[in-house]
Amino acid sequence: MNISDVRQFEHRAFGQMDISDAEIQAAAARGMAFSCDQWDYERKFIAAKCVIEKSIVDFPKSGVRMSMTGGPGGAYGAWFFEANVGSAPAMRLYDLDLAWDQVLLALKRQRKDGYFPYVMADEWGMEHHIGWATLAREIYELDALRPDRDRLEWAYERALKWTRWVQKYRDSNNDGIYESFHEFDIGVDRDPRYLMNETVWFTHDEKWVPEPAGDSVQDLPMQDLTKSNEQRLEPVKDWSAGQLMRGAYISAVTGRLMQAQLMLKAAQERSAGLEPALTRGLQTRAPLSCRLHHLLPYSSPEVNSMVYCDLVYLAKIADKLGRSAESAKLAGEAEELRERVNAYLWHPEDHCYYDKDRHGNWIKINSDAQMRALNCGLPTNDMAEVMFTEHILNPDRFWTPFPLPSVAADDEAHLPNGDSAWHGPTLCLTPTRAFRAFKNYGYDDDLIEMARRIVRHIAARATFPQQWNPHTGKPGCVDLAPAMECSAYVYTHYVAMLCGVIPRAENQIEWNCFGLPGVNETEYKQYFNGRTYRLNGQHGRWTGYVDGKMIPDVADGAIVITDTQGGHKP
């Protein structure tokens, strides 16, 4: 391993990390290991694992470890529902217990009414929006890899309460179609769907997230709008300039603009060696909280996809726990919701999902909503076929050189070079989720093609950014997060899909025999539950090993399924 070359090539990412040579070697050997005859791919894999390793921090108050969104030194510096729970499928290849911890944090910090903060650190949480991730599915799949009935029952009850909370508080007109109250409800800040038409500013409205007395976790110091800015900001006076910058960013993306201005000014003063004056030269009225125009809330494909998927997997968990009547009820709810949503939010001429505003009018922007619906299995097979044909695999829309832009390439709202990840670039969260969409509907060959494109582009760039230009693969917003752990998870996961080993449910092991572009020889090792799984590829010939014992019949261009000892599954 050429550590100095890894450091030199990845100087943007490694500049955010304090990591020793010994830590690099340890990270390279943890969870899984990869080598090949093309150093670019191997170097990137080592660097990705270093980014992942240095993003992990302890949350002692919560009793978990956290993979911080934004990576080491990045701007986010917290647990985000959509990023942390959404990255669990890739994270569990690196550390299954770490993947569990991302889910457990939400459940441990859940309020009595079922809600949990959508952004959290160990000492605080943000209780204003819901975020987007399929919580019940992650619980079901994680338990399948390491079963624990007591933990599963505990998690099931809390995941069900979460889904019931969303159903209650995101259906303002009681029509059974769930809503997004603003862009942060689905984690799409500055999405063009929410920036159109007349804009009106509102402060907090309790209908977004009701706050039962005495039941909230501690929020950021600025939650109480009845206090002056100086009182609200008193707890952050001792923060470093870097902490203040991260606080300013999080404040901005959650709509607290006055607070963001105060914290940015304080960061600049701290950097200049001055004591921050947190109210000087700024108004002291309560900060405005979010862009909200007269068309909201939207009937949202994303929120309905999330609820549908959670209901499906809650039914599966209930069945696993022997609660057959409860399982049948939940499965019936899921199917009824699917029928309602596909009748109301599916555009019959455009063959895709759109939001509808509060008056029932279409918001016709072709967005990432398509991938989230497919990810959750919301479309029928016939609907999915036309979605893939006309949209996902269409080079003029989503099948770009770096696939899956957040807005279709032929949509007038598409801005591939903008700072906003949801206005046209490909955000790292999208490929994190996308593999399920392809697998749900049998588009395995296209998934492999997408994986090859993405891995090739990421390996060629000396950074792990938040987003990429979908036409060129050029990284975007690098200064914000040059060592984004979600991007590192995308790379390691997609390498595993092409030439690696992935543990699956029901004591199954998946051997992926496809290879990387321009690579003749690969070796991939996966350490899982005390065993070592190794897959060697040489010029299209593949050999698998379990604890050093060779397994038969591993074929080129195929996914081979075995049990944990290497015996073939029918």
Side-chain angles (χ1 to χ4, degrees):
M1 181 193 306
N2 188 340
I3 291 178
S4 62
D5 185 61
V6 175
R7 285 189 183 277
Q8 183 177 357
F9 184 74
E10 295 291 350
H11 64 279
R12 293 293 295 275
F14 276 58
Q16 302 293 310
M17 300 186 285
D18 179 17
I19 185 168
S20 67
D21 288 357
E23 287 177 307
I24 293 174
Q25 290 177 321
R30 185 177 175 188
M32 65 284 199
F34 170 71
S35 61
C36 68
D37 62 359
Q38 295 293 325
W39 174 240
D40 289 357
Y41 290 105
E42 183 177 345
R43 175 178 57 195
K44 198 69 177 180
F45 198 88
I46 295 167
K49 293 184 68 180
C50 291
V51 168
I52 293 169
E53 182 67 24
K54 295 302 286 188
S55 75
I56 300 170
V57 298
D58 288 324
F59 276 17
K61 185 176 180 179
S62 305
V64 298
R65 290 174 304 146
M66 198 48 48
S67 183
M68 300 290 273
T69 297
Y76 297 98
W79 174 97
F80 279 68
F81 182 37
E82 58 260 30
N84 289 73
V85 175
S87 294
M91 196 179 300
R92 61 199 188 206
L93 299 180
Y94 187 70
D95 186 330
L96 181 57
D97 291 328
L98 178 67
W100 255 117
D101 276 354
Q102 312 313 297
V103 171
L104 293 176
L105 180 65
L107 303 180
K108 286 183 175 184
R109 301 277 286 274
Q110 188 175 41
R111 300 189 323 197
K112 292 177 183 177
D113 65 351
Y115 178 81
F116 54 79
Y118 75 110
V119 178
M120 285 186 270
D122 202 25
E123 300 292 333
W124 52 261
M126 291 183 178
E127 297 190 339
H128 305 99
H129 320 301
I130 59 176
W132 193 95
T134 53
L135 181 64
R137 176 166 59 185
E138 301 310 332
I139 292 169
Y140 178 83
E141 292 186 352
L142 286 166
D143 182 76
L145 292 172
R146 190 168 292 164
D148 181 328
R149 184 179 177 87
D150 290 342
R151 179 173 60 185
L152 183 63
E153 286 194 275
W154 176 85
Y156 167 75
E157 296 293 347
R158 282 152 181 78
L160 180 59
K161 285 180 66 176
W162 159 248
T163 300
R164 294 308 189 206
W165 188 97
V166 175
Q167 290 175 301
K168 179 177 181 179
Y169 291 108
R170 289 301 182 266
D171 186 12
S172 63
N173 59 6
N174 297 311
D175 67 350
I177 302 289
Y178 303 112
E179 299 158 335
S180 170
F181 279 34
H182 43 76
E183 65 236 64
F184 303 118
D185 254 0
I186 54 173
V188 291
D189 41 299
R190 293 188 289 166
D191 185 302
R193 291 174 290 170
Y194 293 84
L195 298 178
M196 58 188 296
N197 304 303
E198 179 184 354
T199 298
V200 180
W201 289 90
F202 288 82
T203 54
H204 278 298
D205 185 324
E206 65 177 12
K207 71 181 180 180
W208 294 358
V209 177
E211 299 177 6
D215 191 33
S216 295
V217 299
Q218 181 184 353
D219 197 3
L220 279 178
M222 291 62 70
Q223 184 183 22
D224 186 350
L225 302 183
T226 65
K227 297 180 181 179
S228 70
N229 280 326
E230 188 170 11
Q231 288 175 301
R232 287 199 304 277
L233 288 165
E234 181 69 29
V236 306
K237 280 189 174 180
D238 295 329
W239 282 11
S240 69
Q243 288 173 314
L244 287 163
M245 284 294 291
R246 285 194 289 274
Y249 176 80
I250 292 173
S251 300
V253 300
T254 53
R256 306 181 203 188
L257 301 184
M258 184 66 68
Q259 173 184 310
Q261 291 173 344
L262 289 166
M263 296 183 81
L264 178 61
K265 185 177 181 66
Q268 293 167 340
E269 291 169 339
R270 179 74 76 197
S271 296
L274 304 174
E275 186 66 21
L278 291 166
T279 60
R280 188 172 64 215
L282 290 170
Q283 300 176 14
T284 57
R285 64 186 185 136
L288 300 172
S289 69
C290 185
R291 288 184 293 272
L292 185 67
H293 56 66
H294 67 290
L295 301 181
L296 288 170
Y298 289 164
S299 295
S300 165
E302 290 101 319
V303 177
N304 285 282
S305 297
M306 178 178 73
V307 174
Y308 169 73
C309 189
D310 278 345
L311 288 170
V312 167
Y313 278 87
L314 286 166
K316 290 176 182 284
I317 297 172
D319 183 64
K320 193 173 184 178
L321 294 172
R323 306 181 186 185
S324 55
E326 204 167 326
S327 174
K329 180 178 182 297
L330 289 163
E333 283 186 52
E335 191 54 38
E336 290 172 5
L337 174 60
R338 189 189 202 197
E339 292 177 2
R340 289 197 303 273
V341 174
N342 288 343
Y344 188 65
L345 296 180
W346 173 260
H347 196 283
E349 287 81 33
D350 293 356
H351 300 144
C352 64
Y353 292 99
Y354 293 128
D355 301 86
K356 279 187 176 179
D357 68 22
R358 65 191 300 176
H359 309 294
N361 301 310
W362 295 107
I363 306 297
K364 294 187 69 174
I365 294 178
N366 195 357
S367 71
D368 178 65
Q370 317 312 331
M371 285 308 302
R372 298 202 210 190
L374 291 162
N375 171 293
C376 293
L378 185 66
T380 64
N381 288 337
D382 289 344
M383 292 165 67
E385 182 178 1
V386 72
M387 288 177 75
F388 272 101
T389 301
E390 296 187 14
H391 299 282
I392 305 305
L393 301 179
N394 183 342
D396 294 328
R397 290 181 176 164
F398 292 101
W399 203 238
T400 48
F402 197 115
L404 306 182
S406 53
V407 174
D410 65 346
D411 195 297
E412 62 182 10
H414 179 75
L415 297 174
N417 292 314
D419 288 339
S420 172
W422 298 107
H423 223 303
T426 299
L427 180 72
C428 55
L429 286 175
T430 302
T432 300
R433 305 164 176 154
F435 77 97
R436 282 197 171 109
F438 286 78
K439 285 183 173 291
N440 283 345
Y441 297 97
Y443 286 83
D444 299 276
D445 292 343
D446 299 295
L447 174 60
I448 296 304
E449 170 60 23
M450 182 176 73
R452 284 175 170 154
R453 293 189 194 185
I454 288 175
V455 165
R456 182 174 64 247
H457 276 294
I458 294 178
R461 309 285 182 169
T463 185
F464 290 93
Q466 170 182 279
Q467 64 204 53
W468 300 269
N469 182 305
H471 308 288
T472 66
K474 182 180 179 180
C477 281
V478 176
D479 291 337
L480 175 66
M484 188 82 172
E485 90 299 343
C486 288
S487 291
Y489 284 125
V490 167
Y491 185 75
T492 56
H493 195 192
Y494 277 54
V495 167
M497 288 186 211
L498 291 171
C499 58
V501 183
I502 299 178
R504 304 197 332 177
E506 300 176 357
N507 295 314
Q508 293 183 349
I509 302 296
E510 175 183 304
W511 308 76
N512 294 297
C513 308
F514 300 99
L516 297 169
V519 175
N520 293 316
E521 298 183 9
T522 60
E523 180 178 89
Y524 186 101
K525 294 179 182 178
Q526 178 70 51
Y527 308 108
F528 180 72
N529 283 350
R531 293 186 180 274
T532 300
Y533 299 91
R534 176 161 58 96
L535 180 61
N536 284 17
Q538 292 185 321
H539 300 276
R541 298 187 299 274
W542 298 85
T543 309
Y545 301 85
V546 179
D547 291 335
K549 181 181 178 181
M550 188 170 68
I551 65 172
D553 303 326
V554 181
D556 184 42
I559 297 174
V560 177
I561 305 298
T562 71
D563 60 24
T564 54
Q565 288 79 39
H568 282 271
K569 291 283 187 178

